[in-house]
Amino acid sequence: MFYILILLSVFGVNAKNANMTELFVIPIHPQHFNWTLKGAVDEFSYHPSLLNAPDLPQWIHYVYSKVHHTGYLYGVPPINQHNLELEIVGLNRRTYETRRKVLPVNVHRKSEVAKYEAQLKIDNLNVEDMIDENRQRRLLDVFKLKLWPESKSDLYVTFLASAVQLGARLPLKPNEGEGVVLRVGSQFEFSSALIELQEEVKPLWKLISCPRDFKRTTVDRLFREEGFALDWCAFRLMTVKETDRSLSQQHSSHGESDLMESHLTLGLGQNDRWSRPAKSQIPQRSYVHEFAFTILVPMLVMILLVVLLSLILCFHHEGMDEASSEYFESVFDIFEEMRGASDCNTVYCRPNPPPYSGPNRKQVVAEWLA
Ligand SMILES: *[C@@H]1O[C@H](CO)[C@@H](O)[C@H](O)[C@H]1NC(C)=O
Ligand SMILES: *[C@@H]1O[C@H](CO)[C@@H](O)[C@H](O)[C@H]1NC(C)=O
């Protein structure tokens, strides 16, 4: 009993729980580091990571909310995820004191995993707004009570990410929401209302940029009443297959080739550590093409041009008639004369040296022989 109490105080009290495929949120307060709040509330910052690793696993994200003066870890554990330990380093930016806290996360198997998911993009909110449980409940209630009554017993959030993180542009006005993408899922089939809704928004999928204030869907009002401005171009219904789930260990979990899909959280499990690739695995760049295009091709072109030019000149010369050759000769003569004249106009113009007048070669040889 005593040992159990000790174990509880070391692991149990501290540990956080998460369910596979279900969104979890872990708030981080100064109190977790035994810091008491005095003065400025935003003087603390936190750096979370996997224990003894430089970063978080890819399926856990961290965001700091200036509104709530709280950091939030959030994410959706993939299926087959084991328990893990996170490490959070807190920094007091006033005193530069750091404290460290290890946070075990127990990942529980979910008995009924969602098989049907609806994806939404909410334009007017940020991730930290959607982390709020009340807001999540209000959103789920729109589905449970109006659009998807079948899912009433088990609807839950299966995905949450900032739209900017997924490749959307930042809003022009900083005070506008960045946008957030989330999915709600259930094991029960889509209602006919949801399927109709998807048919209604399908024509929008072709648009490259969605009109931000497109609100002509019949159910837009239900969401707006609760404060959610939906981007109907991003609305999708998705069926999750068991194979997709296990594939999601390496790939995105749904086969659709969509901007959002390609950036899905990758569940890489316990061994989610960066390892150095082997030298042999690093691709080598071949310079053959560059060599051919920068040296061989211009050289070939130049040779061709030279050949062509000589041919043209040769044939042209042969085809010259008498009058033109006379003309050219006269031009040549004129040049010769001019050169001769200009030679003697310069300072260095001298008379040609006298012919060599040394002893005759024959004489020299004869003298030598004598
Ligand atoms: C996990 O699931 C259980 C039962 O389904 C639920 O009571 C609990 O709140 C869930 N935990 C989290 C962190 O969502
Ligand atoms: C906070 O104080 C408690 C009790 O003194 C201690 O067990 C815990 O380790 C402290 N936490 C940190 C992060 O220092």
Side-chain angles (χ1 to χ4, degrees):
M1 189 64 195
F2 178 69
Y3 289 110
I4 292 174
L5 273 183
I6 288 185
L7 272 178
L8 269 181
S9 63
V10 174
F11 296 110
V13 177
N14 245 337
K16 300 288 174 181
N17 290 310
N19 296 330
M20 290 174 192
T21 76
E22 179 167 357
L23 177 74
F24 71 88
V25 176
I26 301 174
I28 308 172
H29 301 289
Q31 289 90 326
H32 291 154
F33 297 87
N34 294 343
W35 272 318
T36 48
L37 280 178
K38 45 178 181 301
V41 269
D42 279 335
E43 72 189 31
F44 301 103
S45 68
Y46 312 103
H47 178 86
S49 69
L50 202 59
L51 185 64
N52 299 326
D55 208 347
L56 287 168
Q58 290 189 34
W59 53 273
I60 303 184
H61 304 276
Y62 172 75
V63 65
Y64 185 85
S65 164
K66 287 223 162 100
V67 179
H68 300 107
H69 314 296
T70 308
Y72 292 102
L73 285 164
Y74 65 96
V76 177
I79 247 170
N80 299 332
Q81 173 65 45
H82 303 287
N83 294 350
L84 68 158
E85 282 182 308
L86 301 178
E87 179 182 33
I88 305 164
V89 175
L91 167 72
N92 182 335
R93 279 191 288 214
R94 193 165 47 84
T95 61
Y96 287 97
E97 186 200 357
T98 55
R99 288 185 191 175
R100 176 177 166 276
K101 182 182 164 68
V102 174
L103 185 74
V105 179
N106 298 330
V107 183
H108 302 283
R109 191 164 286 281
K110 199 169 168 66
S111 50
E112 292 295 343
V113 162
K115 294 193 188 74
Y116 301 91
E117 291 181 343
Q119 173 176 280
L120 315 165
K121 178 162 170 269
I122 302 172
D123 277 337
N124 62 330
L125 297 175
N126 294 336
V127 163
E128 57 262 41
D129 301 320
M130 269 331 284
I131 271 170
D132 179 41
E133 260 179 44
N134 279 328
R135 215 179 245 118
Q136 278 180 29
R137 195 179 36 76
R138 289 214 314 268
L139 182 69
L140 290 178
D141 278 349
V142 175
F143 285 92
K144 286 183 186 176
L145 302 179
K146 287 161 184 157
L147 291 174
W148 195 359
E150 291 87 342
S151 73
K152 196 166 180 183
S153 60
D154 76 330
L155 193 71
Y156 65 96
V157 180
T158 58
F159 181 83
L160 174 71
S162 147
V164 171
Q165 219 175 7
L166 297 179
R169 272 185 306 176
L170 279 166
L172 294 178
K173 294 181 200 149
N175 56 346
E176 274 178 13
E178 286 180 359
V180 46
V181 174
L182 49 77
R183 298 199 194 119
V184 294
S186 159
Q187 53 169 316
F188 297 103
E189 280 198 39
F190 295 124
S191 64
S192 47
L194 277 182
I195 293 171
E196 268 168 38
L197 180 59
Q198 168 156 281
E199 288 304 316
E200 195 178 338
V201 300
K202 240 177 199 166
L204 294 174
W205 294 357
K206 290 196 290 282
L207 300 180
I208 293 166
S209 68
C210 199
R212 218 165 197 246
D213 49 358
F214 184 91
K215 32 178 122 87
R216 265 159 283 170
T217 62
T218 41
V219 299
D220 191 69
R221 185 182 43 86
L222 301 179
F223 290 95
R224 259 175 216 277
E225 277 169 3
E226 299 295 334
F228 303 112
L230 259 65
D231 175 350
W232 288 107
C233 299
F235 181 81
R236 299 277 191 288
L237 297 181
M238 303 184 290
T239 320
V240 188
K241 287 187 226 83
E242 207 45 48
T243 48
D244 289 346
R245 289 279 192 205
S246 46
L247 271 178
S248 78
Q249 300 286 319
Q250 287 109 34
H251 305 288
S252 59
S253 62
H254 307 273
E256 288 179 34
S257 57
D258 189 283
L259 168 78
M260 305 297 176
E261 305 300 315
S262 59
H263 296 274
L264 273 176
T265 47
L266 302 173
L268 293 177
Q270 189 83 310
N271 301 321
D272 192 15
R273 306 247 159 99
W274 189 82
S275 58
R276 185 168 50 87
K279 200 179 172 195
S280 57
Q281 287 175 329
I282 295 170
Q284 273 190 340
R285 184 175 161 188
S286 154
Y287 287 97
V288 172
H289 278 90
E290 283 84 350
F291 182 74
F293 279 107
T294 53
I295 298 186
L296 289 188
V297 171
M299 238 157 85
L300 220 71
V301 170
M302 204 183 75
I303 289 170
L304 269 179
L305 278 179
V306 166
V307 168
L308 202 73
L309 210 66
S310 353
L311 281 181
I312 288 174
L313 282 180
C314 277
F315 282 117
H316 197 74
H317 196 71
E318 272 177 13
M320 263 199 314
D321 54 17
E322 209 143 285
S324 7
S325 37
E326 259 171 37
Y327 171 75
F328 271 113
E329 238 138 74
S330 64
V331 169
F332 189 69
D333 286 347
I334 291 171
F335 268 107
E336 282 284 273
E337 273 163 32
M338 277 169 68
R339 212 171 63 105
S342 69
D343 267 359
C344 287
N345 281 344
T346 62
V347 189
Y348 302 105
C349 179
R350 292 188 191 142
N352 285 339
Y356 181 66
S357 57
N360 196 320
R361 193 193 168 113
K362 260 187 198 154
Q363 264 179 345
V364 173
V365 174
E367 272 165 26
W368 187 71
L369 285 174

